[in-house]
């Protein structure tokens, strides 16, 4: 049984005759202690606070029966580990214009996330967002520059908390006020159309961080902790 926050992804599962439903990872509508195993791939790194990341792992543990196991994958800060670059850094973007892309910040997509290719034409969006937020401050005290860095595709991380731009391909209809649009470089007519840009939050985990969060829960024990192609991974057992 699968679950996801995205109704569209869940609908795809239904079309393929898989059992899936929409829910929030912090509140899964499944009875406590009813699962032999749980898998969380490329989910927890999207929660923006340490408290919420811990709550997501605690919710996984709640679902497990005693002796049950959970596998967790999160994106790693270390995309180069033990002198070996991850597959992510080695992969080609597939764009003929890759060398012409501008490095506008610190977009990338984890190996276990499936989505459109990203480019880095996002600084205008980030700057506009900053202006909008400042404009809505209603006289509040000035704050330091709180913009999250926007990662450049296929490069190492320089921040644990960042935004990843996603350039939606296919349906290029712009929803009112919800997204910005950019010209996607390319020679074909389709690639010159305006494509909406969505920004997703990521917290990339440093070495030992995921394991430490898991060990803070007294209801589980860490069976194994390891690095796998740009991801930190943990296997838990419910006590």
């Amino acid at each position: 049984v699968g679950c996801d926050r995205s109704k569209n992804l869940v609908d795809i599962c239904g079309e393929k005759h898989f059992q899936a439903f929409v829910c929030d990872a912090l509140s899964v509508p499944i009875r406590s202690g009813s699962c032999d195993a749980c898998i969380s791939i490329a989910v927890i790194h999207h929660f923006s606070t340490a408290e919420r990341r811990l709550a997501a792992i605690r919710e996984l543990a709640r679902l497990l029966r005693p002796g049950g196991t959970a596998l967790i994958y999160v994106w790693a800060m270390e995309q180069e580990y033990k002198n070996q670059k991850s597959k992510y850094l080695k992969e080609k973007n597939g764009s003929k214009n890759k060398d012409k892309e501008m490095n506008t910040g610190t977009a990338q997509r984890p190996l276990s996330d499936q989505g459109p290719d990203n480019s880095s034409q996002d600084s205008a969006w980030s700057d506009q967002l900053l202006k909008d937020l400042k404009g809505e401050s209603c006289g509040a005290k000035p704050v330091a520059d709180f913009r999250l860095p926007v990662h450049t595709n296929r490069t190492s991380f320089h921040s644990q908390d960042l935004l990843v731009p996603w350039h939606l391909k296919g349906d290029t209809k712009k929803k009112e006020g919800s997204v910005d649009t950019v010209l996607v470089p390319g020679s074909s007519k389709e690639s010159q159309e305006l494509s909406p840009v969505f920004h997703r939050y990521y917290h990339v985990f440093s070495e030992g961080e995921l394991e430490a969060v898991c060990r803070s829960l007294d209801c589980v024990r860490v069976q194994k902790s390891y690095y796998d192609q740009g991801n930190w991974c943990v296997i838990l057992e419910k006590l």
Side-chain angles (χ1 to χ4, degrees), residues 116-117 119 121 125 166-175 179-185 189-198:
D117 289 336
S119 73
Q121 297 174 319
W125 191 96
W166 290 62
H167 294 257
L168 186 63
K169 296 181 180 179
D171 184 6
T172 58
K173 294 181 180 179
K174 181 179 179 181
K175 296 181 181 179
V179 295
D180 195 9
T181 57
V182 298
L183 278 173
V184 177
K189 180 179 178 181
E190 291 77 14
S191 64
Q192 290 297 330
E193 294 180 354
L194 287 174
S195 296
V197 181
F198 297 88

Side-chain angles (χ1 to χ4, degrees), residues 117-208:
D117 289 336
N118 307 297
S119 73
S120 53
Q121 297 174 319
D122 47 61
S123 59
W125 191 96
S126 184
D127 290 342
Q128 184 59 48
L129 176 62
L130 177 64
K131 292 177 182 177
D132 293 343
L133 290 173
K134 285 184 175 179
E136 296 173 0
S137 61
C138 301
K141 292 182 179 180
V143 295
D145 187 351
F146 52 82
R147 284 177 294 182
L148 289 173
V150 183
H151 187 74
T152 301
N153 197 25
R154 306 299 174 190
T155 65
S156 298
F157 291 113
H158 301 289
S159 172
Q160 281 194 269
D161 298 280
L162 46 86
L163 295 177
V164 175
W166 290 62
H167 294 257
L168 186 63
K169 296 181 180 179
D171 184 6
T172 58
K173 294 181 180 179
K174 181 179 179 181
K175 296 181 181 179
E176 292 184 12
S178 60
V179 295
D180 195 9
T181 57
V182 298
L183 278 173
V184 177
S187 57
S188 66
K189 180 179 178 181
E190 291 77 14
S191 64
Q192 290 297 330
E193 294 180 354
L194 287 174
S195 296
V197 181
F198 297 88
H199 282 62
R200 301 179 71 188
Y201 169 86
Y202 283 80
H203 171 84
V204 291
F205 282 69
S206 60
E207 183 172 8

Side-chain angles (χ1 to χ4, degrees), residues 67-86:
T69 55
L71 171 65
I72 301 172
Y73 264 60
V74 295
W75 216 357
M77 176 83 173
E78 300 83 1
Q79 289 297 305
E80 187 167 346
Y81 186 66
K82 293 183 178 179
N83 297 321
Q84 293 290 323
K85 289 185 178 181
S86 68

Side-chain angles (χ1 to χ4, degrees), residues 1-230:
V1 177
C3 59
D4 198 281
R5 186 65 181 263
S6 168
K7 180 181 182 300
N8 289 340
L9 291 179
V10 169
D11 287 344
I12 291 173
C13 290
E15 292 168 3
K16 296 179 180 293
H17 306 293
F18 294 120
Q19 298 183 65
F21 58 90
V22 177
C23 80
D24 191 309
L26 299 182
S27 182
V28 181
I30 293 180
R31 186 176 68 251
S32 298
S34 60
C35 297
D36 295 318
C38 294
I39 300 174
S40 174
I41 305 294
V43 174
I44 294 174
H45 56 216
H46 289 300
F47 289 109
S48 60
T49 66
E51 291 78 13
R52 287 166 65 80
R53 294 189 285 271
L54 175 62
I57 297 173
R58 183 182 290 113
E59 182 70 353
L60 274 180
R62 180 188 69 80
L63 300 174
L64 292 173
R65 63 165 175 78
T69 55
L71 171 65
I72 301 172
Y73 264 60
V74 295
W75 216 357
M77 176 83 173
E78 300 83 1
Q79 289 297 305
E80 187 167 346
Y81 186 66
K82 293 183 178 179
N83 297 321
Q84 293 290 323
K85 289 185 178 181
S86 68
K87 183 180 178 182
Y88 169 79
L89 291 182
K90 293 178 180 178
E91 278 185 347
K92 300 291 184 181
N93 195 11
S95 170
K96 295 180 180 179
N97 296 277
K98 182 177 184 297
D99 294 336
K100 298 180 181 178
E101 290 182 0
M102 296 172 59
N103 294 330
T104 57
T106 60
Q108 86 186 58
R109 135 177 94 95
L111 298 175
S112 42
D113 270 6
Q114 298 300 320
D117 289 336
N118 307 297
S119 73
S120 53
Q121 297 174 319
D122 47 61
S123 59
W125 191 96
S126 184
D127 290 342
Q128 184 59 48
L129 176 62
L130 177 64
K131 292 177 182 177
D132 293 343
L133 290 173
K134 285 184 175 179
E136 296 173 0
S137 61
C138 301
K141 292 182 179 180
V143 295
D145 187 351
F146 52 82
R147 284 177 294 182
L148 289 173
V150 183
H151 187 74
T152 301
N153 197 25
R154 306 299 174 190
T155 65
S156 298
F157 291 113
H158 301 289
S159 172
Q160 281 194 269
D161 298 280
L162 46 86
L163 295 177
V164 175
W166 290 62
H167 294 257
L168 186 63
K169 296 181 180 179
D171 184 6
T172 58
K173 294 181 180 179
K174 181 179 179 181
K175 296 181 181 179
E176 292 184 12
S178 60
V179 295
D180 195 9
T181 57
V182 298
L183 278 173
V184 177
S187 57
S188 66
K189 180 179 178 181
E190 291 77 14
S191 64
Q192 290 297 330
E193 294 180 354
L194 287 174
S195 296
V197 181
F198 297 88
H199 282 62
R200 301 179 71 188
Y201 169 86
Y202 283 80
H203 171 84
V204 291
F205 282 69
S206 60
E207 183 172 8
E209 182 180 357
L210 177 61
E211 183 176 353
V213 175
C214 294
R215 290 189 186 281
S216 69
L217 297 175
D218 56 10
C219 59
V220 296
R221 74 175 183 89
V222 176
Q223 279 190 343
K224 186 178 180 182
S225 178
Y226 60 98
Y227 179 89
D228 181 21
Q229 287 294 341

